Amino acid sequence: MDHAAKWKTPLLKHPYPKLFPLLMLASLFYFCSGIIQVNKTVEEVAVLSCDYNISTKELTEIRIYWQKDDEMVLAVMSGKVQVWPKYKNRTFTDVTDNHSIVIMALRLSDNGKYTCIIQKIEKGSYKVKHLTSVMLLVRADFPVPSITDLGNPSHNIKRIMCLTSGGFPKPHLSWLENEEELNAINTTVSQDPETELYTISSELDFNMTNNHSFLCLVKYGNLLVSQIFNWQKSEPQPSNNQLWIIILSSVVSGIVVITALTLRCLVHRPAARWRQREMGRARKWKRSHLST
C-alpha cells in the first residue's frame, strides 16, 4: 500500500524529508557538468541512458524513477515496472543497458529533460545514490517544398505558390533570385492543434517577359529545405490575323513568280523561233555561195 501511494505522487514531492536537499545538490552538480542531448525525429525510437550499472540481485533493493520535467514517466520498485498513461505501450526499461528507458513512436510532446533517479535502501530508508539527466529534442522534418502555377493575375504577370507541411519547429519561408530576397505575397503559417506540426505557404508574382530562376527556401531551427523554379520566356507567336496575312502573302508571292515565269516564256518563244529561221537562211546562203 505504501509503495502504491508513492507511485501516484511526482518524484520531486517524495515524502522523505532528506530527499529535497540531496536532489537539489545533485541537480546543481549535473547542471554544472552538462546534460547529454539526444536528437531524434517524430516516429523514431529514443534510448535514454540512466548511466548506472546495477546487478540483478540489487533490483529488489533499489528504486528507479524516470521523469520528464515535473511529470512521471516510469518507475521500477521491488523489481516491478510501472509506466504512466502518456507513455503506456510505447515505453519500457532496459536493465541490461544501464537501466535506459526506450521511448518508441516519438511525438513532439516528448521534447524535454528526462531525469533518472536511483534510490537505494540504507538503514531502513531509501537514499539517492545516482541522478542523471538527458535532454531529448524531437523534431519533424519538412518535405521538399512543391511549387505550383496559380495562373496570370494580370498581363505578362505569372503567380506561383510554394508549399510544404508536416514539420516542426515553426518555419520561415523566403523567395530568392540571384541570392537576393524577393517580396512575397500571401505568406501563411498554420499549426495543427493535435499534432503540433506546421504548414507554410507563400506566393510570388513575376514578369513573364524575362527568364527567371527562383529558389523557395524554408528554414526551421538549424535545418532547411528548398526547391528551384525555372522560367523561360516564350517567343511571340503570330495571331490568327497575322497567320492569315502570312499565308496570303505567300500565295500572292507564288502567283507573281509563276506569272512572271510564264510571261517570260511567252515573250522569249517567238524571238527564239525568229533566230532559228534567220540562222537557217544564213546557212542556206552560205552553202549556195560556196557551191558557185
Side-chain angles (χ1 to χ4, degrees), residues 32-97:
C32 295
S33 61
I35 298 177
I36 298 172
Q37 183 172 300
V38 176
N39 295 281
K40 292 293 180 178
T41 59
V42 170
E43 297 299 327
E44 283 189 338
V45 176
V47 179
L48 311 181
S49 176
C50 190
D51 196 25
Y52 190 77
N53 287 315
I54 305 170
S55 65
T56 307
K57 295 180 181 180
E58 291 180 290
L59 286 178
T60 57
E61 302 174 359
I62 64 168
R63 292 174 177 173
I64 305 172
Y65 298 95
W66 273 100
Q67 68 180 59
K68 173 183 173 287
D69 301 326
D70 293 329
E71 63 180 13
M72 286 299 302
V73 176
L74 179 146
V76 181
M77 301 177 70
S78 301
K80 296 181 180 180
V81 180
Q82 179 179 353
V83 181
W84 266 249
K86 186 178 177 181
Y87 297 88
K88 209 111 181 176
N89 301 321
R90 65 187 188 97
T91 304
F92 60 90
T93 182
D94 186 355
V95 295
T96 63
D97 184 15

Side-chain angles (χ1 to χ4, degrees), residues 154-217:
S154 60
H155 181 63
N156 284 334
I157 298 297
K158 173 72 69 179
R159 178 171 294 176
I160 55 177
M161 180 180 69
C162 181
L163 180 145
T164 185
S165 62
F168 187 91
K170 188 176 182 179
H172 175 267
L173 188 151
S174 56
W175 290 95
L176 302 174
E177 185 175 28
N178 298 325
E179 299 183 356
E180 293 185 5
E181 187 167 354
L182 305 175
N183 294 324
I185 58 174
N186 301 330
T187 300
T188 59
V189 181
S190 60
Q191 185 179 25
D192 187 293
E194 294 184 3
T195 64
E196 300 183 35
L197 300 178
Y198 284 94
T199 296
I200 188 167
S201 65
S202 181
E203 299 174 6
L204 179 72
D205 287 349
F206 65 91
N207 195 317
M208 299 167 56
T209 58
N210 299 318
N211 294 333
H212 296 281
S213 181
F214 299 117
L215 176 68
C216 174
L217 183 66

Side-chain angles (χ1 to χ4, degrees), residues 272-289:
R273 289 177 180 176
W274 179 83
R275 283 195 299 270
Q276 288 178 355
R277 286 196 300 267
E278 291 298 318
M279 290 176 65
R281 288 173 183 174
R283 283 195 296 270
K284 288 179 181 181
W285 181 85
K286 187 176 182 181
R287 282 196 300 267
S288 63
H289 281 74

Side-chain angles (χ1 to χ4, degrees), residues 258-270:
I258 294 172
T259 302
L261 292 174
T262 303
L263 291 174
R264 183 177 180 181
C265 291
L266 293 175
V267 169
H268 287 280
R269 186 176 296 175

